[in-house]
Amino acid sequence: MSKYRLILSLLVLMFVGRELLSEEGAPLKTLGPAGPPLSYKIEDVTIQLVHNAGYGPGGGYSIHVHGDGTGHYWFSQPPSLPQEWDFSLSRPAVVDLLNAFYKARFFDLSPSYPQQFGLAVSKNGTVTTSETVTPDAGSTRIRIKIGSYERT
């Protein structure tokens, strides 16, 4: 192993080790200051996705997956004819789904992004920032509950 790889490996270990300890040097109990617990039972997990179509002819839907593999799907398309059913997933499938949220760094995201901004550049090169308003836009909300911890 080259000298540079050894130094890089040590730096990575120092960074990771520091992230896993609190200021007092005790092991952390959560993933980051506002993150999920580091240890929990899979049965304590609930993942919910709710989509509202906004104004217009389309309906919304929601999917709920529990750590024990039970799930519920509801949709309304058109809104006057709601339909729903239950389903089940294997434990490995629930773990894979949860891992996808960790891999996407879901727990590091802002809880909401209420404003969107757009830029316009005038002929003289001046950049103007303005809020973009889409009052009839649909929305999708993902919520993960792990015991008493909740992230939307």
Side-chain angles (χ1 to χ4, degrees):
M1 180 183 289
S2 75
K3 179 169 43 173
Y4 297 108
R5 281 189 172 183
L6 179 62
I7 292 171
L8 181 61
S9 298
L10 289 173
L11 287 172
V12 168
L13 282 174
M14 287 172 41
F15 176 75
V16 170
R18 185 176 38 159
E19 292 295 312
L20 294 176
L21 294 176
S22 68
E23 290 180 19
E24 298 83 30
L28 290 175
K29 294 181 180 173
T30 63
L31 184 65
L38 292 178
S39 178
Y40 51 89
K41 296 220 176 264
I42 191 71
E43 291 81 12
D44 293 339
V45 172
T46 301
I47 301 169
Q48 300 173 339
L49 182 141
V50 177
H51 175 76
N52 294 311
Y55 299 114
Y61 60 88
S62 68
I63 303 169
H64 295 228
V65 176
H66 301 279
D68 65 0
T70 60
H72 187 79
Y73 180 79
W74 174 90
F75 75 95
S76 177
Q77 183 79 17
S80 61
L81 300 171
Q83 296 183 21
E84 58 187 298
W85 64 86
D86 294 323
F87 62 90
S88 63
L89 298 173
S90 67
R91 180 176 278 189
V94 173
V95 171
D96 287 346
L97 181 60
L98 199 51
N99 265 328
F101 283 101
Y102 279 95
K103 190 173 186 177
R105 301 194 65 149
F106 174 80
F107 301 104
D108 295 336
L109 296 173
S110 175
S112 65
Y113 296 92
Q115 297 176 340
Q116 296 179 4
F117 296 92
L119 299 177
V121 180
S122 67
K123 289 182 181 180
N124 69 1
T126 303
V127 176
T128 306
T129 306
S130 62
E131 186 176 358
T132 304
V133 179
T134 51
D136 65 344
S139 66
T140 302
R141 181 174 299 260
I142 298 172
R143 180 175 141 209
I144 297 180
K145 270 187 85 174
I146 302 171
S148 62
Y149 171 83
E150 185 175 315
R151 180 66 176 197
T152 301

